[in-house]
Amino acid sequence: MAVEDEGLRVFQSVKIKIGEAKNLPSYPGPSKMRDCYCTVNLDQEEVFRTKIVEKSLCPFYGEDFYCEIPRSFRHLSFYIFDRDVFRRDSIIGKVAIQKEDLQKYHNRDTWFQLQHVDADSEVQGKVHLELRLSEVITDTGVVCHKLATRIVECQGLPIVNGQCDPYATVTLAGPFRSEAKKTKVKRKTNNPQFDEVFYFEVTRPCSYSKKSHFDFEEEDVDKLEIRVDLWNASNLKFGDEFLGELRIPLKVLRQSSSYEACPLRDLLLKSADVEPVSASAAHILGEVCREKQEAAVPLVRLFLHYGRVVPFISAIASAEVKRTQDPNTIFRGNSLASKCIDETMKLAGMHYLHVTLKPAIEEICQSHKPCEIDPVKLKDGENLENNMENLRQYVDRVFHAITESGVSCPTVMCDIFFSLREAAAKRFQDDPDVRYTAVSSFIFLRFFAPAILSPNLFQLTPHHTDPQTSRTLTLISKTVQTLGSLSKSKSASFKESYMATFYEFFNEQKYADAVKNFLDLISSSGRRDPKSVEQPIVLKEGFMIKRAQGRKRFGMKNFKKRWFRLTNHEFTYHKSKGDQPLYSIPIENILAVEKLEEESFKMKNMFQVIQPERALYIQANNCVEAKDWIDILTKVSQCNQKRLTVYHPSAYLSGHWLCCRAPSDSAPGCSPCTGGLPANIQLDIDGDRETERIYSLFNLYMSKLEKMQEACGSKSVYDGPEQEEYSTFVIDDPQETYKTLKQVIAGVGALEQEHAQYKRDKFKKTKYGSQEHPIGDKSFQNYIRQQSETSTHSI
């Protein structure tokens, strides 16, 4: 088996090229061939799976896998499986590489001998466990400890003899006790949902008698552990089968997190408020890292976790725009701002990407129409005009899916795009299109186009597409990317003459208008700054019928046809198009936008725009138009702080609400608001872990931090030509940057001392032959040798 490893970095990131397997054992049947795939595992946890190569004993995969490893591990393992349609897939063999040996295979193409897999030694599966150690005060004022253990679920348990009927035993064990409790048996599943809670009394009041069955003192908590054993309930006479075990010392529940990490985290989180932003800790991280991507990944995750990603990206993007001289090059480089926006779209926009593109991509993969438009590459029997028409239909399908998806764009992305457009429009006031190109360079060029080009990388397709479909998607991606760029000479932007010819199909103004309307919508923010330079942008307009609102004491509440106009500032109606507005609702005053039940006025396709003092009732021309207005009005107002949670689905007529019969016109609503839009996807991000990753980066690039300090000192006292060794750093304010660098270096140093002390303590307490240092563990032996050089202690 050939595997090429491209190294394990400080962060535990690994890139693997899975090559091929040779001379696999033949299948014991007439065909002899196998349908094989390969998995990549951290110990027993699968993290990647290749495609299936059918009917071969020498499968070639040629697939790359890259990941940042989120936990400690001992072996990186590769398993070769033979697919079985009717039964569980069988393991042919495995290759296991110890963590400390990975560096040996860095940038090397290496063959490994497949090893036999002993099923008894291959424990697999995961347990989701929640533990809570609580202090309980008794009637006498004495503090006791109680432990709540909730076993939520298990995943990927092994199937034994074709079946899995799992249950778990939960045991609190220590030197003087062992108390066990058992869950219910879950039948016919290897992913059981238990959701059972067990309570254990951990410590007793000191007033209790020593003869009590709680025969231990307060300090014995550190000697206790929770053990979870998984079993398969067997009907056979020789008993239940053991599936695996998990042990957790209770002392881990009493360990507090490091206080030294808090100053570093707080220093990072206030980066958006530092003037200039180039003097902030987050920007400094981007300056010292070898690749901007290294800094962008943990920074974006940290800021997302604490709800600060929009002001941070707005600050660094605005600073980059100020340094840009040509509007045609705006956000074209691999800057920290660009990488942070890319990472935010990847995290917050994945659901949006799937909702928008997946139906169209699946249709293209299934229908499989020929779309080659390069005359040189045409196959026998293919017609160039037919292929162009097929491709044009596909492009239209994808283009309309994108440009009609604005109401689904996540709020965090809209807020970022809003800040990009504002900064670009302020910087290049003579270029009317820069407010569009600043946004399209991300949403089209770096979000939608790559997903169309390689849908499997974005989980839009389960496997690599076949060559013909891949070629079709390439042509679609190039066309959509050019449409979204709003280039003034689009045909000339293609290197290939056949692409320029094909693009003539899309030179109509309606395509440019659709792109601009889409960009206007996704770059409109509900969190507007009153000092903003933003000009009102028309998002939608057209004739509808509205009911008089009764603002006058006397007069008929009749229905009239009016021209409605929605901008990102206000919602207005006019007697005719181009007239002055008769009435205006500021966007921030829209509390809800909901359908209105037909029984209110015996009229279809009605909806209501609810304001603080009254509701405006409107009838659209048809159901599609009504939905469009509801969606777009909800989109632009969804961030309003006073949005309602309940509303009246019917009108207030004849002295009462038709829906709930409440007599007061100010009575609270009787139905929950629908919102009209999917909720933002919640991201599972560990803020502490991201802070640790940033600390590791600062520690790795400490020499650059010190070099940057020197550069600050040089700039402060020397006003001549910049020294070459310092020219790589962006330093707008040497004094402020120096202050931040001093805080960062001090914080990293304090954390490093704490880690060093932890290692020394662990070294002193660990015994040879213990679970932490098993006999034959080479990685720990290397650790011992390193410690022996700096410590007088011995094991």
Side-chain angles (χ1 to χ4, degrees):
M1 179 178 179
V3 176
E4 184 178 340
D5 166 45
E6 293 203 356
L8 193 72
R9 300 198 315 237
V10 174
F11 267 119
Q12 293 192 329
S13 297
V14 65
K15 183 176 181 181
I16 301 164
K17 294 184 178 179
I18 302 174
E20 57 184 318
K22 291 283 190 182
N23 305 321
L24 298 179
S26 60
Y27 186 77
S31 69
K32 305 292 185 184
M33 295 292 105
R34 293 181 182 271
D35 299 337
C36 299
Y37 62 90
C38 176
T39 66
V40 180
N41 296 56
L42 296 177
D43 296 328
Q44 303 301 323
E45 182 181 359
E46 181 182 324
V47 294
F48 178 71
R49 179 177 294 200
T50 68
K51 62 188 176 184
I52 298 172
V53 178
E54 298 181 344
K55 298 179 181 179
S56 175
L57 298 180
C58 299
F60 177 81
Y61 298 106
E63 295 193 38
D64 294 354
F65 169 64
Y66 169 83
C67 75
E68 289 187 356
I69 299 172
R71 61 172 179 80
S72 60
F73 69 100
R74 300 174 71 87
H75 294 89
L76 183 67
S77 304
F78 304 85
Y79 290 79
I80 297 290
F81 284 86
D82 182 16
R83 181 183 62 176
D84 192 319
V85 178
F86 303 104
R87 293 175 297 181
R88 188 182 175 201
D89 296 350
S90 58
I91 300 177
I92 299 175
K94 75 172 183 178
V95 170
I97 306 172
Q98 288 188 339
K99 179 180 177 180
E100 59 269 20
D101 291 337
L102 283 174
Q103 195 61 32
K104 298 178 184 178
Y105 310 109
H106 177 61
N107 279 335
R108 288 177 55 192
D109 190 351
T110 310
W111 285 90
F112 297 88
Q113 181 66 44
L114 278 179
Q115 303 295 322
H116 174 68
V117 177
D118 181 5
D120 293 336
S121 68
E122 299 288 312
V123 177
Q124 68 179 62
K126 293 186 288 187
V127 179
H128 182 182
L129 195 65
E130 293 180 3
L131 300 175
R132 187 176 69 254
L133 187 62
S134 306
E135 290 185 343
V136 180
I137 301 178
T138 64
D139 295 337
T140 60
V142 179
V143 176
C144 304
H145 285 87
K146 289 185 180 290
L147 176 70
T149 304
R150 178 183 176 218
I151 180 165
V152 184
E153 62 178 328
C154 297
Q155 294 180 358
L157 298 179
I159 298 175
V160 182
N161 297 323
Q163 60 98 36
C164 188
D165 298 326
Y167 68 90
T169 60
V170 183
T171 306
L172 179 64
F176 304 104
R177 73 182 292 188
S178 179
E179 183 180 356
K181 299 182 180 184
K182 178 182 174 183
T183 69
K184 297 177 182 178
V185 176
K186 299 295 180 180
R187 299 289 178 184
K188 298 181 179 178
T189 177
N190 65 334
N191 298 301
Q193 301 281 331
F194 292 112
D195 201 14
E196 295 188 41
V197 182
F198 303 107
Y199 295 94
F200 299 93
E201 292 193 39
V202 176
T203 58
R204 61 173 176 77
C206 297
S207 58
Y208 277 22
S209 167
K210 279 283 185 181
K211 295 181 180 180
S212 167
H213 67 284
F214 299 114
D215 193 14
F216 45 87
E217 300 291 344
E218 170 76 20
E219 59 269 17
D220 287 329
V221 171
D222 289 344
K223 299 178 182 179
L224 297 175
E225 69 176 9
I226 279 289
R227 189 176 72 238
V228 180
D229 297 297
L230 275 299
W231 298 84
N232 180 38
S234 174
N235 296 322
L236 303 177
K237 60 183 180 180
F238 47 79
D240 298 343
E241 292 97 354
F242 177 68
L243 301 180
E245 180 181 82
L246 173 69
R247 293 173 180 256
I248 302 176
L250 286 201
K251 62 184 178 182
V252 303
L253 301 180
R254 299 178 58 165
Q255 294 172 352
S256 60
S257 58
S258 170
Y259 292 103
E260 296 294 344
C262 295
L264 181 61
R265 181 198 63 203
D266 295 340
L267 190 64
L268 289 160
L269 290 176
K270 71 177 185 180
S271 293
D273 304 320
V274 175
E275 286 288 347
V277 72
S278 59
S280 67
H283 194 279
I284 287 171
L285 181 66
E287 288 299 296
V288 298
C289 282
R290 184 182 59 185
E291 301 288 344
K292 302 296 184 186
Q293 183 73 9
E294 278 185 302
V297 171
L299 283 175
V300 165
R301 289 173 171 269
L302 179 70
F303 285 116
L304 273 171
H305 179 73
Y306 289 101
R308 297 283 295 159
V309 75
V310 173
F312 170 64
I313 290 181
S314 298
I316 59 175
S318 180
E320 181 178 334
V321 170
K322 289 177 182 177
R323 289 192 292 267
T324 304
Q325 301 302 317
D326 185 352
N328 295 317
T329 63
I330 194 167
F331 297 122
R332 290 302 173 94
N334 288 322
S335 62
L336 181 64
S338 296
K339 291 298 183 183
C340 284
I341 296 170
D342 288 347
E343 187 64 21
T344 304
M345 293 191 300
K346 186 191 302 182
L347 290 171
M350 191 59 70
H351 176 73
Y352 169 49
L353 193 68
H354 280 227
V355 169
T356 305
L357 286 185
K358 195 166 186 178
I361 296 295
E362 288 179 344
E363 177 188 325
I364 292 166
C365 292
Q366 291 170 6
S367 57
H368 215 254
K369 295 178 182 177
C371 294
E372 182 55 69
I373 58 173
D374 183 354
V376 178
K377 296 182 179 180
L378 280 181
K379 296 179 181 178
D380 292 341
E382 287 186 351
N383 181 277
L384 183 60
E385 286 72 22
N386 291 342
N387 287 9
M388 278 197 171
E389 178 59 22
N390 292 338
L391 184 60
R392 187 193 64 77
Q393 291 177 6
Y394 281 156
V395 169
D396 267 335
R397 172 82 166 85
V398 173
F399 177 79
H400 286 110
I402 293 172
T403 54
E404 294 171 7
S405 69
V407 293
S408 301
C409 186
T411 303
V412 66
M413 289 173 60
C414 292
D415 288 345
I416 289 172
F417 295 151
F418 167 77
S419 66
L420 298 184
R421 192 191 70 214
E422 290 289 274
K426 187 175 181 179
R427 174 73 174 86
F428 301 104
Q429 297 182 20
D430 295 333
D431 189 333
D433 288 332
V434 73
R435 71 185 191 192
Y436 295 117
T437 55
V439 178
S440 67
S441 63
F442 286 102
I443 195 69
F444 280 100
L445 182 65
R446 304 169 85 127
F447 187 65
F448 284 122
I452 298 167
L453 186 66
S454 304
N456 62 298
L457 298 182
F458 296 83
Q459 292 82 52
L460 293 171
T461 58
H463 306 294
H464 296 282
T465 53
D466 61 85
Q468 179 180 322
T469 305
S470 180
R471 172 65 175 164
T472 299
L473 293 174
T474 300
L475 296 172
I476 295 172
S477 178
K478 292 173 75 170
T479 309
V480 168
Q481 180 178 319
T482 307
L483 279 166
S485 70
L486 294 171
S487 171
K488 295 180 176 62
S489 56
K490 296 175 182 175
S491 297
S493 65
F494 291 109
K495 296 178 182 178
E496 309 93 342
S497 59
Y498 60 85
M499 284 300 299
T501 302
F502 173 69
Y503 199 82
E504 295 299 323
F505 283 117
F506 305 98
N507 266 336
E508 298 178 51
Q509 186 60 34
K510 66 177 183 180
Y511 289 100
D513 292 342
V515 170
K516 288 185 176 182
N517 290 337
F518 168 68
L519 295 175
D520 282 339
L521 181 55
I522 65 170
S523 59
S524 294
S525 172
R527 303 187 180 97
R528 292 192 309 280
D529 182 350
K531 300 177 183 178
S532 169
V533 300
E534 176 189 29
Q535 296 298 316
I537 297 169
V538 178
L539 301 175
K540 189 174 178 63
E541 56 186 346
F543 277 112
M544 291 189 290
I545 295 173
K546 67 96 184 175
R547 182 178 184 261
Q549 300 180 76
R551 288 178 285 119
K552 296 180 180 178
R553 186 178 181 92
F554 302 102
M556 295 286 292
K557 293 185 179 181
N558 54 356
F559 290 86
K560 293 183 178 179
K561 189 174 183 180
R562 292 288 182 255
W563 179 263
F564 284 84
R565 188 171 186 262
L566 173 67
T567 73
N568 53 336
H569 285 187
E570 60 184 354
F571 181 50
T572 58
Y573 61 77
H574 316 243
K575 189 169 185 179
S576 298
K577 183 178 181 179
D579 291 350
Q580 291 297 311
L582 299 174
Y583 187 69
S584 170
I585 306 175
I587 294 298
E588 56 267 27
N589 284 356
I590 298 178
L591 306 184
V593 185
E594 299 285 348
K595 291 181 180 179
L596 188 69
E597 291 182 352
E598 187 177 334
E599 67 174 19
S600 297
F601 302 106
K602 310 301 180 186
M603 296 166 66
K604 294 183 178 181
N605 308 319
M606 290 202 71
F607 64 95
Q608 52 185 317
V609 179
I610 304 172
Q611 313 163 67
E613 66 279 2
R614 63 179 64 84
L616 174 61
Y617 300 131
I618 303 172
Q619 183 188 34
N621 295 319
N622 53 63
C623 61
V624 174
E625 187 179 275
K627 182 181 184 303
D628 288 346
W629 275 104
I630 292 172
D631 285 348
I632 198 166
L633 282 163
T634 302
K635 178 65 178 177
V636 297
S637 64
Q638 65 180 331
C639 295
N640 292 348
Q641 294 181 350
K642 297 182 180 180
R643 278 187 65 86
L644 298 178
T645 56
V646 291
Y647 79 107
H648 292 285
S650 292
Y652 183 81
L653 296 173
S654 304
H656 65 269
W657 292 97
L658 298 182
C659 42
C660 60
R661 316 299 294 181
S664 172
D665 61 352
S666 60
C670 56
S671 297
C673 289
T674 61
L677 293 166
N680 279 349
I681 306 303
Q682 297 299 313
L683 302 171
D684 184 14
I685 297 174
D686 186 339
D688 291 337
R689 176 175 176 264
E690 301 309 325
T691 305
E692 289 177 6
R693 294 173 67 186
I694 293 171
Y695 150 74
S696 298
L697 277 174
F698 275 134
N699 197 38
L700 176 65
Y701 294 109
M702 181 58 70
S703 62
K704 282 195 173 184
L705 289 172
E706 294 168 348
K707 183 70 72 175
M708 197 172 182
Q709 263 191 327
E710 294 176 15
C712 289
S714 174
K715 284 177 177 287
S716 294
V717 300
Y718 178 66
D719 199 26
E722 193 168 25
Q723 297 183 43
E724 186 176 348
E725 60 178 326
Y726 300 146
S727 62
T728 57
F729 302 121
V730 173
I731 302 174
D732 297 317
D733 188 325
Q735 292 183 342
E736 287 299 318
T737 306
Y738 185 90
K739 289 178 184 177
T740 305
L741 280 163
K742 188 175 180 180
Q743 291 176 285
V744 168
I745 292 172
V748 172
L751 281 169
E752 185 62 15
Q753 288 183 0
E754 187 173 304
H755 287 178
Q757 185 60 48
Y758 169 78
K759 290 179 180 179
R760 287 193 292 269
D761 293 343
K762 181 179 179 182
F763 176 75
K764 286 188 284 187
K765 294 177 181 178
T766 303
K767 294 182 179 180
Y768 184 64
S770 66
Q771 185 175 4
E772 292 80 10
H773 183 191
I775 297 172
D777 187 347
K778 295 180 181 178
S779 60
F780 202 87
Q781 289 172 0
N782 293 334
Y783 174 71
I784 289 175
R785 285 195 294 270
Q786 294 170 6
Q787 291 296 320
S788 298
E789 297 173 0
T790 57
S791 174
T792 58
H793 299 285
S794 60
I795 293 181

